[in-house]
Amino acid sequence: DTGVSQDPRHKITKRGQNVTFRCDPISEHNRLYWYRQTLGQGPEFLTYFQNEAQLEKSRLLSDRFSAERPKGSFSTLEIQRTEQGDSAMYLCASSETSGRLNNEQFFGPGTRLTVL
Amino acid sequence: AQSVAQPEDQVNVAEGNPLTVKCTYSVSGNPYLFWYVQYPNRGLQFLLKYITGDNLVKGSYGFEAEFNKSQTSFHLKKPSALVSDSALYFCAVRDRGGDTGRRALTFGSGTRLQVQP
């Protein structure tokens, strides 16, 4: 499968614990995005990378959230000291910078986080 | 700031009838517009996009959408609905903005399409 993959698919944690999610984009895509989706809502933008550079961060991305893309390939999203309000589906997407598929973002299946 | 409105939480249609899912947008410049579909326990799947050119855009699974600049709308349509089209549909917008424009998509809250047999 050459699509966007995310790991884990589900994560249950206790309030106050740290969690880390991984996203592997489509291999030739140099743009990578993180979104968060809560029940009954559309995805909300968190952050965006072009290669290894983090170019944009949403105000939703509090100090407890950090994202990295160290080699411009896979990315990780870490949430420290989780809160119940962090419970959501975390979606990763990737896109090309040019060509026919420019601007089109391909989404992974998401990581569903439940904070108890 | 960019925003998207999907005024209907749910649309019900009988199989074989035409369907329309509404979307209106707001951007400061010219828009890129997208429709995505989400099936239960699956990620968002791209349906179609408007970048430039013909206002009627054709996409996957027989869906199409019409860009109307004066009404700032991008309604999703299909001439004949299938039960398998039942899913959650999201409209999204990005400001064209060039290299300095915001790359992230802004999504609407979604419309649940229910096609009855």
Side-chain angles (χ1 to χ4, degrees):
Chain A
D1 188 341
T2 57
V4 178
S5 61
Q6 293 187 245
D7 183 69
R9 295 290 304 275
H10 303 272
K11 178 71 177 179
I12 300 173
T13 189
K14 293 183 180 179
R15 184 166 53 93
Q17 298 295 306
N18 299 344
V19 295
T20 301
F21 310 141
R22 177 179 170 125
C23 170
D24 286 88
I26 294 171
S27 59
E28 61 268 25
H29 288 183
N30 60 358
R31 289 184 181 148
L32 186 148
Y33 310 79
W34 286 98
Y35 293 84
R36 181 175 71 183
Q37 185 178 18
T38 53
L39 201 61
Q41 298 297 319
E44 297 173 291
F45 169 70
L46 292 177
T47 190
Y48 147 64
F49 291 85
Q50 181 153 321
N51 299 312
E52 65 275 9
Q54 189 173 17
L55 296 185
E56 188 176 354
K57 292 195 288 187
S58 161
R59 280 172 286 183
L60 290 176
L61 211 68
S62 75
D63 292 345
R64 297 184 298 106
F65 288 68
S66 63
E68 295 183 341
R69 196 183 182 197
K71 297 182 180 179
S73 56
F74 73 91
S75 175
T76 58
L77 177 68
E78 181 184 16
I79 308 175
Q80 296 182 327
R81 304 180 304 281
T82 53
E83 302 173 355
Q84 287 182 327
D86 297 331
S87 296
M89 177 76 84
Y90 289 85
L91 298 170
C92 177
S94 68
S95 70
E96 295 185 355
T97 52
S98 63
R100 186 179 62 85
L101 298 178
N102 188 13
N103 295 300
E104 182 176 323
Q105 295 182 20
F106 294 83
F107 283 80
T111 295
R112 182 169 296 284
L113 172 66
T114 301
V115 182
L116 302 176
Chain B
Q2 52 195 41
S3 65
V4 174
Q6 293 182 243
E8 302 154 317
D9 289 337
Q10 181 156 326
V11 169
N12 297 308
V13 64
E15 188 174 31
N17 283 0
L19 70 87
T20 299
V21 182
K22 295 179 180 177
C23 170
T24 58
Y25 68 89
S26 173
V27 295
S28 56
N30 291 313
Y32 292 136
L33 292 156
F34 304 82
W35 277 101
Y36 285 83
V37 60
Q38 190 173 40
Y39 296 98
N41 300 316
R42 293 172 65 178
L44 290 162
Q45 295 179 33
F46 170 80
L47 275 181
L48 52 78
K49 64 182 176 183
Y50 170 80
I51 301 298
T52 187
D54 194 346
N55 289 345
L56 185 63
V57 178
K58 294 188 183 296
S60 307
Y61 312 119
F63 283 93
E64 58 188 30
E66 186 167 10
F67 171 62
N68 187 316
K69 187 173 183 178
S70 63
Q71 297 185 3
T72 61
S73 68
F74 190 58
H75 300 332
L76 181 70
K77 300 181 180 183
K78 187 174 182 180
S80 178
L82 299 173
V83 172
S84 58
D85 292 330
S86 298
L88 194 53
Y89 290 80
F90 290 98
C91 181
V93 68
R94 176 167 95 71
D95 194 325
R96 192 177 293 264
D99 287 340
T100 59
R102 187 163 184 258
R103 292 287 174 187
L105 295 175
T106 296
F107 286 84
S109 56
T111 297
R112 185 165 300 282
L113 174 65
Q114 194 69 41
V115 181
Q116 286 119 6

